[in-house]
Coordinates of all heavy atoms in Angstrom, one line a residue:
A1 N 0.8 -1.3 0.0 CA 0.0 0.0 0.0 C 0.9 1.2 0.0 O 1.8 1.3 0.8 CB -0.9 0.0 1.2
A2 N 0.4 2.1 -0.8 CA 1.2 3.5 -0.9 C 1.0 4.3 0.4 O -0.1 4.4 0.8 CB 0.8 4.3 -2.1
S3 N 2.1 4.6 0.9 CA 2.0 5.4 2.2 C 1.8 6.8 1.8 O 2.4 7.4 0.9 CB 3.3 5.2 3.0 OG 4.5 5.7 2.3
P4 N 1.0 7.6 2.6 CA 0.6 8.9 2.4 C 1.9 9.7 2.6 O 2.7 9.5 3.5 CB -0.4 9.3 3.3 CG -0.3 8.3 4.5 CD 0.2 7.0 3.8
L5 N 2.1 10.8 1.8 CA 3.2 11.8 1.9 C 3.0 12.5 3.2 O 1.8 13.0 3.5 CB 3.3 12.7 0.7 CG 3.6 12.0 -0.6 CD1 3.6 13.1 -1.7 CD2 5.0 11.3 -0.6
P6 N 4.0 12.7 3.9 CA 3.9 13.5 5.1 C 3.5 15.0 4.8 O 3.9 15.6 3.8 CB 5.3 13.5 5.8 CG 6.2 13.2 4.6 CD 5.4 12.4 3.7
A7 N 2.7 15.6 5.6 CA 2.2 17.0 5.5 C 3.4 17.9 5.7 O 4.2 17.6 6.6 CB 1.1 17.3 6.3
P8 N 3.6 19.0 5.0 CA 4.6 19.9 5.3 C 4.4 20.6 6.7 O 3.4 20.6 7.2 CB 4.5 20.9 4.2 CG 3.0 20.9 3.6 CD 2.6 19.5 3.7
T9 N 5.5 20.9 7.3 CA 5.3 21.4 8.6 C 5.9 22.9 8.6 O 6.6 23.3 7.7 CB 6.2 20.7 9.5 OG1 7.6 20.6 9.1 CG2 5.7 19.3 9.7
V10 N 5.5 23.7 9.5 CA 5.9 25.0 9.6 C 6.5 25.2 11.1 O 6.0 24.7 12.1 CB 4.7 26.0 9.6 CG1 5.3 27.4 9.9 CG2 4.0 25.9 8.2
I11 N 7.8 25.6 11.0 CA 8.5 25.6 12.3 C 8.4 27.1 12.8 O 8.6 28.1 12.3 CB 10.1 25.5 12.0 CG1 10.3 24.1 11.4 CG2 10.9 25.7 13.3 CD1 11.8 23.9 11.0
G12 N 7.7 27.1 14.0 CA 7.4 28.4 14.6 C 8.1 28.5 16.0 O 8.7 27.5 16.5
G13 N 7.6 29.5 16.6 CA 8.2 29.7 18.1 C 7.7 28.7 19.0 O 8.2 28.2 19.9
G14 N 6.5 28.2 18.7 CA 5.7 27.3 19.6 C 5.9 25.9 19.3 O 5.2 25.1 19.8
G15 N 6.8 25.6 18.3 CA 7.0 24.1 18.0 C 6.6 23.9 16.5 O 6.5 24.9 15.7
V16 N 6.5 22.7 16.3 CA 6.2 22.3 14.8 C 4.8 21.9 14.6 O 4.2 21.2 15.4 CB 7.1 21.1 14.4 CG1 6.9 20.7 12.9 CG2 8.5 21.5 14.7
A17 N 4.0 22.7 13.8 CA 2.6 22.4 13.5 C 2.3 22.0 12.0 O 3.0 22.6 11.1 CB 1.9 23.6 13.8
P18 N 1.6 21.0 11.8 CA 1.3 20.5 10.5 C 0.4 21.5 9.7 O -0.4 22.2 10.4 CB 0.6 19.2 10.7 CG 0.0 19.3 11.9 CD 0.9 20.1 12.8
V19 N 0.6 21.8 8.4 CA -0.1 22.6 7.7 C -1.1 21.9 6.8 O -0.5 21.0 6.0 CB 0.7 23.6 6.9 CG1 -0.2 24.5 6.0 CG2 1.6 24.4 7.9
A20 N -2.3 22.1 6.6 CA -3.2 21.4 5.8 C -2.9 21.7 4.3 O -2.6 22.8 4.0 CB -4.7 21.6 6.0
P21 N -3.0 20.7 3.5 CA -2.7 21.0 2.1 C -3.7 21.9 1.5 O -5.0 21.9 1.9 CB -2.8 19.6 1.4 CG -3.6 18.7 2.5 CD -3.3 19.3 3.8
T22 N -3.4 22.8 0.7 CA -4.2 23.9 0.1 C -4.8 23.3 -1.2 O -4.1 22.9 -2.0 CB -3.4 25.1 -0.3 OG1 -2.7 25.5 0.8 CG2 -4.3 26.2 -0.7
A23 N -6.3 23.4 -1.3 CA -7.0 23.0 -2.4 C -6.6 24.0 -3.6 O -6.4 25.2 -3.4 CB -8.4 23.0 -2.1
P24 N -6.7 23.5 -4.7 CA -6.4 24.4 -5.9 C -7.7 25.4 -6.1 O -8.7 25.2 -5.8 CB -6.4 23.4 -7.1 CG -7.2 22.2 -6.6 CD -6.9 22.1 -5.1
T25 N -7.2 26.7 -6.4 CA -8.1 27.7 -6.5 C -8.9 27.6 -7.8 O -8.3 27.5 -8.9 CB -7.3 29.2 -6.5 OG1 -6.7 29.3 -5.3 CG2 -8.4 30.3 -6.6
A26 N -10.2 27.8 -7.7 CA -11.1 27.7 -8.8 C -11.0 29.0 -9.6 O -10.9 30.0 -9.0 CB -12.5 27.5 -8.5
P27 N -11.1 29.0 -10.9 CA -10.9 30.2 -11.7 C -12.2 31.1 -11.5 O -13.3 30.6 -11.2 CB -10.9 29.7 -13.1 CG -11.5 28.3 -13.0 CD -11.2 27.8 -11.8
A28 N -12.0 32.4 -11.4 CA -13.1 33.3 -11.1 C -14.1 33.3 -12.4 O -13.6 33.1 -13.5 CB -12.5 34.7 -11.0
V29 N -15.5 33.4 -12.1 CA -16.5 33.4 -13.0 C -16.4 34.7 -13.8 O -16.5 35.7 -13.0 CB -17.9 33.1 -12.4 CG1 -18.9 33.0 -13.5 CG2 -17.7 31.8 -11.7
S30 N -16.3 34.6 -14.9 CA -16.4 35.9 -15.8 C -17.7 36.4 -15.9 O -18.7 35.8 -15.7 CB -15.7 35.7 -17.2 OG -16.4 34.7 -17.8
A31 N -17.8 37.8 -16.1 CA -19.1 38.5 -16.4 C -19.7 38.1 -17.5 O -18.9 37.7 -18.5 CB -19.0 40.0 -16.1
L32 N -21.0 38.3 -17.8 CA -21.6 38.1 -19.0 C -21.0 39.1 -20.0 O -20.7 40.2 -19.8 CB -23.1 38.3 -18.9 CG -23.8 37.3 -18.0 CD1 -25.3 37.7 -17.9 CD2 -23.7 35.9 -18.5
P33 N -20.8 38.5 -21.3 CA -20.3 39.5 -22.2 C -21.4 40.6 -22.7 O -22.5 40.5 -22.5 CB -20.2 38.6 -23.4 CG -21.3 37.4 -23.3 CD -21.3 37.1 -21.8
G34 N -20.9 41.7 -23.1 CA -21.6 42.8 -23.4 C -21.0 44.1 -22.8 O -20.2 44.1 -21.9
A35 N -21.4 45.3 -23.2 CA -20.9 46.5 -22.6 C -21.6 46.8 -21.4 O -22.9 46.6 -21.1 CB -21.3 47.7 -23.7
A36 N -20.8 47.2 -20.4 CA -21.3 47.5 -19.1 C -22.0 48.8 -19.0 O -21.8 49.8 -19.7 CB -20.1 47.7 -18.0
R37 N -23.3 48.8 -18.2 CA -24.0 50.0 -18.2 C -23.7 50.8 -16.9 O -23.8 50.3 -15.8 CB -25.6 49.7 -18.2 CG -26.0 49.2 -19.5 CD -27.4 48.5 -19.5 NE -27.9 48.1 -20.8 CZ -29.0 47.4 -21.0 NH1 -29.7 47.1 -19.9 NH2 -29.4 47.2 -22.2
V38 N -23.3 52.0 -17.0 CA -23.0 52.8 -15.9 C -23.8 54.0 -15.9 O -24.3 54.6 -17.0 CB -21.4 53.2 -16.0 CG1 -20.6 52.0 -15.8 CG2 -21.1 54.0 -17.2
P39 N -24.0 54.6 -14.7 CA -24.8 55.8 -14.7 C -24.1 57.0 -15.4 O -22.9 56.9 -15.6 CB -24.8 56.2 -13.1 CG -24.7 54.9 -12.4 CD -23.7 54.1 -13.3
L40 N -24.9 57.9 -15.8 CA -24.4 59.1 -16.5 C -23.4 60.0 -15.6 O -23.9 60.4 -14.4 CB -25.5 60.0 -17.1 CG -25.1 61.1 -18.0 CD1 -24.3 60.5 -19.3 CD2 -26.3 61.9 -18.5
S41 N -22.3 60.2 -15.9 CA -21.4 61.1 -15.2 C -20.9 62.3 -16.2 O -20.3 62.0 -17.2 CB -20.2 60.2 -14.8 OG -19.3 61.1 -14.0
V42 N -21.1 63.5 -15.7 CA -20.7 64.6 -16.5 C -20.0 65.5 -15.5 O -20.3 65.7 -14.3 CB -22.0 65.3 -17.1 CG1 -21.6 66.6 -17.9 CG2 -22.8 64.4 -17.8

């Protein structure tokens, strides 16, 4: 059986604490196509 990789650790002043693996960031949802409507500014 494949053994899990050890989690990276962070060495701090209070000892060694495991850091949870970071999930990959999902890409931002883009706005609908088209010209943006903005209030009239003069």
